[in-house]
Amino acid sequence: QVQVVESGGGLVQPGGSLRLSCAASGSIVSINTMGWYRQAPGKERELVARTTSGGSTNYADSVKGRFTISRDNAKNTVYLQMNSLKPDDTAVYYCNADIFTRALRWNDYWGQGTQVTVSS
């Protein structure tokens, strides 16, 4: 079994910062892509940022220059540093990981989500 668990969400004022963490654990052999998605009320889930095991990254245009994704491969953990937060960033943020398990299969795993609310 594999678990993907996010932490670090909360309420922050516009212009503030938050750091999200996501740790994968369990029957893991290796992890390829890890990333963050978000879903606001009434909207579809969208990619925020993702990174490969080799360190390549890509970001949604709406967060470029404000958010930074990073990864600790030894800890199977991915982070999302969010600066200059705006009310439009309010959403549930989900971690996603593409994991090769000890069952010798690639599977796509999602965390349970963490709420980020940007409001004064």
Side-chain angles (χ1 to χ4, degrees), residues 44-64:
E44 293 187 354
R45 189 173 298 189
E46 63 176 1
L47 172 69
V48 176
R50 61 186 171 197
T51 178
T52 68
S53 58
S56 299
T57 59
N58 65 293
Y59 295 89
D61 287 344
S62 59
V63 307
K64 284 180 181 177

Side-chain angles (χ1 to χ4, degrees), residues 19-20 22 24 28 30-36 50-57 59 68-81 96-99 106:
R19 187 190 195 212
L20 305 183
C22 169
I28 297 170
S30 64
I31 304 177
N32 187 8
T33 302
M34 298 187 81
W36 292 94
R50 61 186 171 197
T51 178
T52 68
S53 58
S56 299
T57 59
Y59 295 89
T68 302
I69 190 169
S70 61
R71 179 170 171 170
D72 185 334
N73 289 327
K75 295 181 179 180
N76 292 333
T77 299
V78 65
Y79 306 95
L80 186 68
Q81 178 65 44
N96 174 264
D98 189 23
I99 299 174
W106 283 100

Side-chain angles (χ1 to χ4, degrees), residues 4 7 13 23-24 29 41 46 51 64 69 72 81 85 109 111 113 120:
V4 175
S7 61
Q13 291 187 343
V29 174
E46 63 176 1
T51 178
K64 284 180 181 177
I69 190 169
D72 185 334
Q81 178 65 44
L85 282 160
Y109 291 89
S120 55

Side-chain angles (χ1 to χ4, degrees), residues 11-17 83-89 117-120:
L11 173 64
V12 64
Q13 291 187 343
S17 298
N83 297 329
S84 302
L85 282 160
K86 305 174 182 180
D88 284 350
D89 296 317
T117 302
V118 185
S119 175
S120 55

